[in-house]
Amino acid sequence: MPQDPMDFEWSYWIEWGREHVLWLLAGHLLVSQVSRLLVEKYKPWCLMVYGMVACWLLLGVKGFAVILLHAAVSFAVAQFQLSLLTWLCSLILLSTLRIPAVEETKRKWYDTENEYYLLLFTVSVRCLFCTSFSLEYCWHRPSQKSSHSFPWMLAYVFYYPTFHNGPLMNFDEFSKQMRRQEAFSVKSNLSILIVGIIRIFFWWCLAELMIHLMYIHALYSSALPLESASYWALGGLALAQVLFFYVKYLVLYGVPGLLLQMDGLKPPALPCCVSLMHSFTKMWRSFDVGLHRFLVRYIYVPMGGSQSSLLGMLFSTALTFAFISYWHGGQSYLWYWGALNWFGVVVENGVKRILSISFIQDLI
């Protein structure tokens, strides 16, 4: 039975995974386990070199140079230790991905659109990693200087399991865990690997079954069946789409998450099932945990967050969703999506504040 070809993200990463990425991830696993067994002290540098080689092989010398240039510029600007300047640099670097002339130049580097998109996706994610390192550099204490050097930035930026599509792991978490030396057990690691592969294979089979039988995305791409469907049917289609999105990210984040575990790191928790969620706040906290931690640590809290006045909280929340919309591409529909999510979070928190008033609680 033919599959629904309309979900670009799933088809794209499955194709790249089969052809290149899974093999490179297997190579990372081999280098990681050998370095943990023989040269635990030098593991970050072994993995850094491997990530650079993998980047060179997959994106070519020009793609590798772009990512290295982004890292070098971010590190140079971070030397001023001004958070505002660091954010300005990050936004400028991110905006270069949307300049038509730059896009055309990068397209000419590759034979296919898929290769160009791989560079685009990778650089977008690397921008977040560069931002995390640079802000941590701005905030670090003199005693932490050795772990905030340029080599550590390269080890973080070129860490291969999270290289192309995440999940996002903030630099402070990455460096603490990567520098921690633990007892290495081949037997326990092997059991983690086997159980993890079985779980990911099950999720992959479930996603493929949904793609081959449900045709959710094909239905969404045509107005005629949607116009003739009842509201119940439309609600069912919407639920089916978000459930597929959930299963898809169990696979896309599950594979790098398993490798993080094999490297002795604690990966961000995998997405929670969307059927168990009943609030905007919980959705943002527990679907993409790594991204949520990034937004809270580097945008929401520095801008005041829940500790500020009502207007301050509204502004910091709006700024967070504005960044998310811009990072995802900045198209008009993404601004509407961000605005609706912001409105949902604001209303939800407003209702919670009203319900916390003792007079209202007594009435209830």
Side-chain angles (χ1 to χ4, degrees), residues 2-220:
Q3 72 172 39
D4 180 354
M6 300 307 292
D7 188 89
F8 170 77
E9 189 177 32
W10 178 256
S11 305
Y12 182 85
W13 288 116
I14 290 298
E15 182 182 340
W16 271 107
R18 286 170 178 163
E19 292 182 4
H20 302 286
V21 175
L22 277 179
W23 299 105
L24 290 171
L25 288 173
H28 170 93
L29 179 62
L30 180 62
V31 170
S32 166
Q33 300 311 293
V34 170
S35 61
R36 287 191 76 186
L37 194 61
L38 303 177
V39 285
E40 175 76 19
K41 185 179 178 181
Y42 300 103
K43 180 183 71 172
W45 318 122
C46 295
L47 297 182
M48 177 191 75
V49 171
Y50 180 84
M52 287 178 157
V53 172
C55 173
W56 192 305
L57 290 173
L58 215 51
L59 298 176
V61 63
K62 292 178 180 176
F64 172 79
V66 166
I67 294 169
L68 194 60
L69 180 63
H70 275 234
V73 170
S74 297
F75 185 78
V77 173
Q79 301 307 301
F80 294 98
Q81 293 190 292
L82 297 171
S83 298
L84 187 61
L85 191 60
T86 291
W87 265 116
L88 184 62
C89 171
S90 298
L91 292 172
I92 290 171
L93 289 174
L94 195 58
S95 68
T96 61
L97 303 179
R98 293 150 178 68
I99 299 172
V102 176
E103 285 182 331
E104 276 308 306
T105 302
K106 289 177 181 175
R107 274 192 169 91
K108 290 175 184 176
W109 296 348
Y110 301 106
D111 297 326
T112 64
E113 280 285 291
N114 276 0
E115 290 174 290
Y116 164 71
Y117 283 133
L118 185 66
L119 175 65
L120 183 66
F121 297 149
T122 304
V123 175
S124 296
V125 176
R126 293 307 93 199
C127 278
L128 297 184
F129 278 69
C130 288
T131 303
S132 175
F133 175 89
S134 298
L135 289 170
E136 294 294 342
Y137 187 93
C138 292
W139 303 338
H140 82 281
R141 296 185 296 274
S143 60
Q144 298 173 304
K145 190 174 181 180
S146 62
S147 62
H148 288 74
S149 60
F150 189 60
W152 266 106
M153 183 184 196
L154 294 181
Y156 175 58
V157 169
F158 285 98
Y159 181 67
Y160 194 69
T162 61
F163 191 67
H164 298 296
N165 196 42
L168 186 58
M169 190 176 188
N170 293 340
F171 177 73
D172 62 320
E173 299 170 2
F174 175 84
S175 63
K176 284 174 189 172
Q177 294 178 33
M178 188 62 82
R179 284 184 288 115
R180 184 180 62 218
Q181 295 185 17
E182 296 178 332
F184 177 68
S185 169
V186 175
K187 187 178 178 181
S188 63
N189 256 24
L190 190 61
S191 64
I192 291 170
L193 181 64
I194 292 169
V195 171
I197 288 173
I198 292 169
R199 290 174 69 194
I200 292 165
F201 181 72
F202 171 75
W203 297 329
W204 175 77
C205 288
L206 183 58
E208 283 291 316
L209 199 65
M210 294 172 82
I211 278 282
H212 281 82
L213 297 180
M214 298 179 73
Y215 294 88
I216 314 155
H217 304 89
L219 286 168
Y220 270 114

